Amino acid sequence: MSLRGVENITVPSFDPSLRELDEAGVRWDVRHAIEQGFTATLLALNAGLSPREMRRFVEIAVDEAAGRLQVGVDMPLDSFTLAAELLAFAADAGATHAVLGVPQAFAPTSDDDVHDAYAELAAASSLKLVLPVGAVGFPPELGGGVPWGAYARLAALDTVRAVTVTTWMPQILFGALQM
């Protein structure tokens, strides 16, 4: 797997009742990402979906992409247990990668805590993992983002294949916009 290009984010579509995924809407979103020239799409599993809905969302998107677009998932943030289950499901369904996140109840106190938890998750999944750069929810005493002491060790794992820089403010990445 090689991640090269631009990845968009696909947010799940729901039917008018807001109770069921809108399969046609998800398929349209995936086709539109392909038409726009994206090389990958990241499925927003943490958009209020139940585990059942997460699985269905992955199935629909991977089926529609049909190899024309890499399909990644953001790591479910409920727990490492749910994350391991969903990442294994996503891999079996044909997803290509997952962006690591911080489960809500995870309260590491050291770089070793971070490394050990994510190394165990990486060992349990065949998905290629993407490390986020920036504030991702770690405690402030560990810097808020991926703790650098753990980061280098995680980046050395065989399953870690990419780094993503995510921001809603691209001018931070590219400097002030020129007029």
Side-chain angles (χ1 to χ4, degrees):
M1 181 203 82
S2 175
L3 285 175
R4 181 172 292 181
V6 179
E7 175 177 64
N8 77 328
I9 297 174
T10 299
V11 178
S13 298
F14 287 88
D15 71 6
S17 74
L18 300 178
R19 296 184 192 280
E20 295 293 326
L21 284 172
D22 177 4
E23 181 172 338
V26 172
R27 289 181 181 281
W28 185 92
D29 289 338
V30 171
R31 284 192 309 274
H32 190 65
I34 294 165
E35 291 166 6
Q36 295 302 310
F38 289 100
T39 56
T41 190
L42 181 69
L43 303 181
L45 297 186
N46 290 303
L49 299 176
S50 69
R52 179 187 63 80
E53 291 168 325
M54 290 178 190
R55 287 179 181 88
R56 186 66 185 133
F57 186 32
V58 170
E59 288 173 334
I60 295 167
V62 167
D63 180 65
E64 188 62 36
R68 299 171 294 161
L69 182 74
Q70 292 184 50
V71 177
V73 297
D74 64 349
M75 183 180 116
L77 301 180
D78 295 66
S79 68
F80 277 109
T81 301
L82 180 62
E85 291 170 10
L86 263 294
L87 295 182
F89 177 85
D92 289 345
T96 55
H97 61 285
V99 176
L100 296 181
V102 183
Q104 298 164 2
F106 186 49
T109 58
S110 70
D111 288 352
D112 287 340
D113 290 349
V114 172
H115 173 269
D116 294 350
Y118 286 98
E120 185 175 325
L121 185 64
S125 174
S126 63
L127 283 177
K128 302 310 176 200
L129 302 178
V130 178
L131 298 176
V133 172
V136 293
F138 284 101
E141 54 274 11
L142 292 180
V146 175
W148 293 113
Y151 197 85
R153 292 167 56 203
L154 289 170
L157 296 174
D158 289 340
T159 54
V160 173
R161 293 296 173 87
V163 173
T164 183
V165 180
T166 303
T167 178
W168 294 104
M169 299 171 55
Q171 66 272 25
I172 291 172
L173 299 176
F174 303 109
L177 298 175
Q178 301 294 320
M179 298 193 103

